[in-house]
Amino acid sequence: MRKSTTVVRSHLAPAVNGEALTASPVLSGPFHASGDPAASAYTYGRFHNPTWTTLENALAALESSPTIAAKALVFPSGMAAVTAVFEALLRPGGTVVLPANGYYTVRMLLERFFSPIGVGVRFLPKQADLQGEALRGATLLWLETPTNPELDIYDIRVLSQLAHAAGALVAVDNTTATPLAQNVLSLGADYSVVSGTKALTGQSDLILGHVAVAQEELLKPIHEWRTLSGSILGPMEAWLALRSLPSLPLRLERASANALAIAGFLAGRSDILRVLYPGLPSHPGHEIAAQQMDYFGPVVSFVLEDRARAERFLARAELVTEATSFGGIVTTAERRARWPKESAHPGLIRMSAGCEAIEDILNDLENALA
Ligand SMILES: *Cc1c(COP(=O)(O)O)cnc(C)c1O
């Protein structure tokens, strides 16, 4: 079956006469479970919950491929999913290698809480011939592709092979593309880590995340971390995510087409310093992106000459809503460097194409840039 078909049907409950068609939220702290706890599927809501199970099965199907039967665990945010992987793998003396311009909160988390206990943090050079050296002795390669917000592309297959040869495990932050656009486990990654807050659920009303793996034993310490730390998703949020997931194929197709049209429009203007979109043939990572992605995704970044010009653009835009985050059905944009720890160019606008009619978005861009 096509992946999109599986996703569209992911909130259906098992076919039992007289029962609801779709999954419903199960709100329970304790469950009826007398005697030996091992005899009950559910006992206590920090350990497991049937609504999580439905969502995790849907996410596992999304992360699977003909050769991989993935397993997934949900978390209360993308960062909680990131933290669970770090806590499971990184010990004093260990080393994580990551791009210097990925999602800045991941760098801050490492800087504030892992470096001080003796975890080494190294940046992955962009030049291919320096990457092997950077991976020597590493515990974990933390990739992000496309990166947020500059949309750099890393070759997941090649870097996974390099990292494995160096004895490191590989995690890919797959938030920007979503697992429907980019199946990182089949490209060789050990962990797919996703913030479901963005395009995966797409309604801009949820914060959640997940970790998926191909080898089930890799999930054990992550599962244990979740249970012991209590880093758990509420069942209502799990249910809202189940309502949102089935529209992912429709949303992603439309938003990616809109993003490509926006990127093409911007690339044709002389007042834009740079347009960053992996779907443009002129993007330095386009060839690799075309190999490893089925959609180029909703995010387009572009650089205006300075902060003032970028702020003027945002103030003049009427349809394009100024807001952080991305991947919603509504088109949004923000000047990334307004966040103090973000390293992007002061004039960089990160835009997230939504599902509106493209003519209206392009008209709005034309007016806001005039
Ligand atoms: C937003 C984001 C995260 C963090 O997700 P939250 O759900 O906000 O915790 C991690 N990685 C990337 C690439 C993101 O864009």
Side-chain angles (χ1 to χ4, degrees):
M1 207 186 292
R2 295 296 165 106
K3 190 64 66 71
S4 59
T5 303
T6 311
V7 180
V8 164
R9 302 175 65 84
S10 57
H11 66 326
L12 285 180
V16 177
N17 274 347
E19 297 286 320
L21 187 71
T22 58
S24 306
V26 177
L27 306 173
S28 202
F31 291 76
H32 287 294
S34 50
D36 180 4
S40 303
Y42 297 96
T43 57
Y44 182 60
R46 177 161 43 77
F47 306 161
H48 32 217
N49 171 284
T51 319
W52 299 352
T53 307
T54 310
L55 178 57
E56 284 169 349
N57 289 342
L59 294 169
L62 181 58
E63 297 273 9
S64 292
S65 62
T67 53
I68 287 170
K71 297 275 177 200
L73 288 173
V74 290
F75 286 88
S77 68
M79 286 313 300
V82 173
T83 303
V85 174
F86 288 173
E87 290 287 355
L89 290 181
L90 301 176
R91 297 287 173 270
T95 298
V96 54
V97 179
L98 78 169
N101 63 344
Y103 186 55
Y104 74 93
T105 315
V106 174
R107 292 198 300 277
M108 280 176 74
L109 175 68
L110 289 167
E111 202 177 286
R112 284 282 292 111
F113 291 97
F114 287 86
S115 293
I117 62 161
V119 173
V121 179
R122 275 186 222 150
F123 290 128
L124 181 71
K126 285 192 194 179
Q127 304 96 294
D129 54 335
L130 302 177
Q131 289 169 339
E133 180 59 28
L135 286 165
R136 193 183 307 183
T139 319
L140 174 66
L141 169 62
W142 183 269
L143 279 180
E144 188 182 315
T145 183
T147 58
N148 168 13
E150 290 174 339
L151 302 167
D152 281 348
I153 298 294
Y154 289 91
D155 190 324
I156 298 171
R157 196 187 293 280
V158 166
L159 283 162
S160 294
Q161 280 166 1
L162 263 185
H164 288 151
L169 288 163
V170 178
V172 180
D173 182 331
N174 200 15
T175 301
T176 308
T178 81
L180 185 63
Q182 181 171 265
N183 190 299
V184 306
L185 299 178
S186 70
L187 292 164
D190 301 289
Y191 305 87
S192 170
V193 185
V194 179
S195 166
T197 308
K198 316 287 171 55
L200 190 74
T201 62
Q203 312 299 311
S204 309
D205 56 6
L206 271 179
I207 304 281
L208 81 160
H210 77 261
V211 179
V213 300
Q215 293 170 264
E216 197 170 358
E217 68 272 13
L218 291 178
L219 216 50
K220 280 191 187 133
I222 295 174
H223 199 173
E224 202 177 1
W225 162 259
R226 182 176 75 174
T227 304
L228 296 177
S229 68
S231 180
I232 59 163
L233 186 66
M236 282 298 284
E237 277 72 19
W239 176 65
L240 284 168
L242 275 169
R243 290 196 53 164
S244 308
L245 202 56
S247 62
L248 174 64
L250 278 170
R251 289 186 281 104
L252 194 63
E253 190 176 339
R254 175 66 167 257
S256 297
N258 281 354
L260 185 61
I262 291 167
F265 166 83
L266 293 170
R269 288 184 65 103
S270 56
D271 55 347
I272 311 263
L273 300 190
R274 282 201 302 153
V275 183
L276 310 169
Y277 189 63
L280 287 179
S282 58
H283 186 285
H286 176 69
E287 235 171 85
I288 295 164
Q291 280 165 27
Q292 65 188 20
M293 301 175 82
D294 291 328
Y295 298 97
F296 295 112
V299 185
V300 183
S301 291
F302 59 98
V303 183
L304 294 169
E305 61 189 282
D306 55 19
R307 172 181 174 163
R309 178 92 211 281
E311 288 177 341
R312 212 158 53 236
F313 162 77
L314 290 169
R316 282 193 191 160
E318 287 176 8
L319 186 70
V320 177
T321 305
E322 184 177 355
T324 194
S325 198
F326 58 84
I329 52 171
V330 161
T331 301
T332 59
E334 72 170 333
R335 193 179 70 85
R336 258 327 258 180
R338 69 191 173 120
W339 300 97
K341 298 278 180 178
E342 174 62 82
S343 54
H345 185 286
L348 183 139
I349 299 283
R350 186 186 67 194
M351 187 164 170
S352 173
C355 298
E356 300 94 337
I358 187 63
E359 297 80 1
D360 293 326
I361 302 172
L362 295 182
N363 273 341
D364 196 47
L365 287 179
E366 181 96 60
N367 293 337
L369 288 166

